[in-house]
Amino acid sequence: MALCAPTLAALLLLLQASPPGAPAASLDPAPAGSRSREIQSTGSQPMESQPTESLSTESLSTGTEPALDTLPAADLDALLGGLTRSPRVVGTGGHDRGLALIEAALRAASLRPVRVEVEATRAIPTRSDVLLFEDSLATAAFAGLKERWNPEAAAPSPLPAAFAWNPSTAEARGAVVDLGAGLPADFAEAEKMRLSLEGTIALVTVPATPANRKASIRSIAAEAATHGCVGVLVAPLRPGLARDDFVLADIRPAHGRTSEETRLPVPCAPIRSAEADLIRARLKVRRIRGANGRATSVRVGPGPVEAGVNIECPVTTVRAEALQLEVPAARAGAFHLVSTDHRPDLALGGAPAIAVAVGAAAALGPAGEGSTATLWFAPRRAALPAEHGPVFQLDAVLAPRPGTPLMARLGPLGPSRLAPLLDESSAQLDARLAGQLQPRMAAAVDWVSYGLRGKDEPRRAAGAQAARALERLLAPLPSER
């Protein structure tokens, strides 16, 4: 996407030319480890391959500050490529290697991050089986999906598509009932149809892109448990552009006092649209009367097709390392967290957010004698030292998103969404974006840099104009819509 003249003009109001910084060291990543993830499927071949966190920036500069220099785009690309070579699961070598790449990039920009040891919780399924049976009498499955993940494997392996924070061990089998999008209205409609949901497995269909979902996986699971369902199967609303895709979601632990209170209330497992189609073709037909008084037939179940769900999801506390970095800021005392662990629901596992944050830190430069803010590169669920106070989540996904404080003041801007594709490489993403990865990352670096600096003048004309320019620069491509 070429930069148009109005875009350049608006960005120049924000950023003035500055001398180039010191070149960064090479970040050539090591070869990726062998895969230990296993997906077995019958009925269709498996393909290899949520609301996301908002970009928590406070403002844009009005152009009165000196221009900021960043790491060269090629170096950010090298960092991005290195971070996507293996999943950065906390407590594994993949996370350690990713943190080493981040530290190398920061030091190449003449910054001096400090390593700190932290504790973090991890709740990733080690087993997720979904088997489909013709009816309650069948003992042999006609289709299904099986996933395994071994955190102790010598070489890091891709994460399973199964959702985190499932019950520690769960085994359920029941008749499948189609409950639409899993919204409260869908469950209410099932009650109107006098469907018995007790002991059933709910099949829900949601958009694959997290930003388009009207309900979270956790809220769907809670609604299903309330109505007596013993499990949930989550299918994509429609297949991806080139293949069937799983519905990926970053399930966060609920606010509870005990480990069990943080779990999903019933086991939840993603399936592909191919499995969902096989299920729907086998559901019982019911006659319902519409608003016009005419009766129509719908395949909703329950059954006779049944699903068996078997999930193992242990919660473990692991030791990990984090990076602490002081950056210049207009006001002292701010703390920002950049997630270093793998995000299965974001493009490239959330690696672009890390690369953009590194570029922003390089743009701000070393902390001087003035006010500073603290930038943490750490796992999301890490127990950071208490003396460092509260932490604000910083999740730059290459574009500003609606709903953040800054966007609320500037008005709604069309966000750029990178559709999450499992196991996609940075080279594949760059090709899919038609060569637009570098300019998008550069614009996001500018955006985040001023947010970290802590300026609060978005209402001024220059700030609003720069925001509009960023909107045009980061507008979704046809492949992202």
Side-chain angles (χ1 to χ4, degrees):
M1 182 189 310
L3 293 179
C4 60
T7 300
L8 287 173
L11 285 176
L12 287 175
L13 289 174
L14 176 63
L15 303 173
Q16 303 295 327
S18 63
S26 174
L27 297 173
D28 185 30
S34 60
R35 302 170 64 89
S36 66
R37 174 184 172 191
E38 175 187 3
I39 299 183
Q40 299 175 351
S41 172
T42 57
S44 58
Q45 292 297 319
M47 304 305 298
E48 294 291 335
S49 45
Q50 113 181 159
T52 60
E53 290 297 324
S54 295
L55 171 60
S56 300
T57 55
E58 295 183 2
S59 67
L60 289 171
S61 170
T62 60
T64 58
E65 295 291 339
L68 301 176
D69 190 25
T70 66
L71 285 173
D75 295 322
L76 287 183
D77 281 355
L79 174 60
L80 183 63
L83 293 173
T84 58
R85 289 298 180 92
S86 60
R88 303 174 310 281
V89 180
V90 62
T92 69
H95 182 267
D96 297 339
R97 181 177 176 278
L99 197 71
L101 290 173
I102 297 169
E103 184 177 21
L106 292 172
R107 292 190 179 278
S110 301
L111 303 177
R112 295 295 177 262
V114 177
R115 284 208 174 214
V116 179
E117 191 175 61
V118 296
E119 284 188 348
T121 55
R122 183 181 68 201
I124 298 175
T126 56
R127 173 178 181 172
S128 175
D129 297 346
V130 177
L131 300 179
L132 304 181
F133 303 89
E134 292 286 358
D135 51 40
S136 61
L137 301 178
T139 57
F142 68 86
L145 296 166
K146 293 184 177 181
E147 289 187 293
R148 302 290 186 272
W149 183 70
N150 180 13
E152 305 302 330
S157 62
L159 284 172
F163 303 133
W165 294 98
N166 259 293
S168 55
T169 57
E171 188 170 1
R173 176 170 170 172
V176 181
V177 57
D178 191 345
L179 289 171
L183 302 176
D186 296 308
F187 285 90
E189 184 65 24
E191 290 181 346
K192 290 181 181 179
M193 297 169 62
R194 298 183 180 179
L195 298 181
S196 176
L197 301 183
E198 193 69 30
T200 61
I201 303 289
L203 170 63
V204 300
T205 309
V206 301
T209 304
N212 291 339
R213 297 175 195 160
K214 297 181 179 179
S216 66
I217 304 300
R218 183 173 291 280
S219 65
I220 292 173
E223 194 73 30
T226 301
H227 288 80
C229 298
V230 296
V232 176
L233 302 180
V234 183
L237 184 62
R238 60 176 180 269
L241 294 176
R243 73 191 191 300
D244 258 350
D245 207 351
F246 291 104
V247 171
L248 305 177
D250 180 39
I251 304 298
R252 296 183 170 195
H255 297 291
R257 293 171 294 177
T258 66
S259 175
E260 289 306 314
E261 289 177 333
T262 66
R263 304 281 194 167
L264 292 170
V266 294
C268 300
I271 60 175
R272 300 166 302 173
S273 60
E275 283 74 36
D277 290 342
L278 292 174
I279 292 174
R280 294 190 186 99
R282 290 165 169 80
L283 290 175
K284 287 180 182 177
V285 176
R286 298 184 65 92
R287 298 280 290 177
I288 61 173
R289 191 170 299 278
N292 57 4
R294 294 182 179 179
T296 58
S297 299
V298 294
R299 288 190 177 274
V300 63
V305 61
E306 290 196 353
V309 180
N310 191 342
I311 289 180
E312 296 176 2
C313 184
V315 172
T316 55
T317 300
V318 297
R319 303 292 296 179
E321 288 190 316
L323 297 175
Q324 179 186 2
L325 180 67
E326 299 297 318
V327 295
R331 297 183 300 276
F335 298 87
H336 304 275
L337 176 64
V338 181
S339 304
T340 55
D341 51 336
H342 198 79
R343 291 288 299 272
D345 59 322
L346 296 182
L348 305 186
I354 303 175
V356 166
V358 169
L364 293 172
E369 297 181 356
S371 300
T372 62
T374 303
L375 192 60
W376 279 95
F377 292 87
R380 284 163 294 158
R381 301 180 182 99
L384 299 180
E387 62 268 19
H388 292 290
V391 174
F392 300 97
Q393 186 82 8
L394 174 67
D395 194 357
V397 199
L398 297 192
R401 306 187 69 83
T404 63
L406 176 60
M407 293 296 96
R409 290 194 292 267
L410 286 176
L413 301 179
S416 171
R417 299 185 179 94
L418 301 182
L421 302 180
L422 195 61
D423 294 346
E424 185 176 37
S425 69
S426 57
Q428 290 170 326
L429 175 63
D430 192 29
R432 183 164 60 86
L433 294 181
Q436 289 304 302
L437 187 59
Q438 284 191 10
R440 288 171 183 239
M441 288 183 65
V445 163
D446 295 337
W447 184 277
V448 174
S449 300
Y450 288 106
L452 292 178
R453 185 182 290 278
K455 303 296 292 181
D456 193 14
E457 299 168 335
R459 290 183 180 277
R460 293 194 180 181
Q465 192 171 11
R468 300 295 185 266
L470 284 171
E471 178 192 12
R472 290 191 294 271
L473 177 62
L474 300 173
L477 296 176
S479 62
E480 298 179 87
R481 297 192 181 108

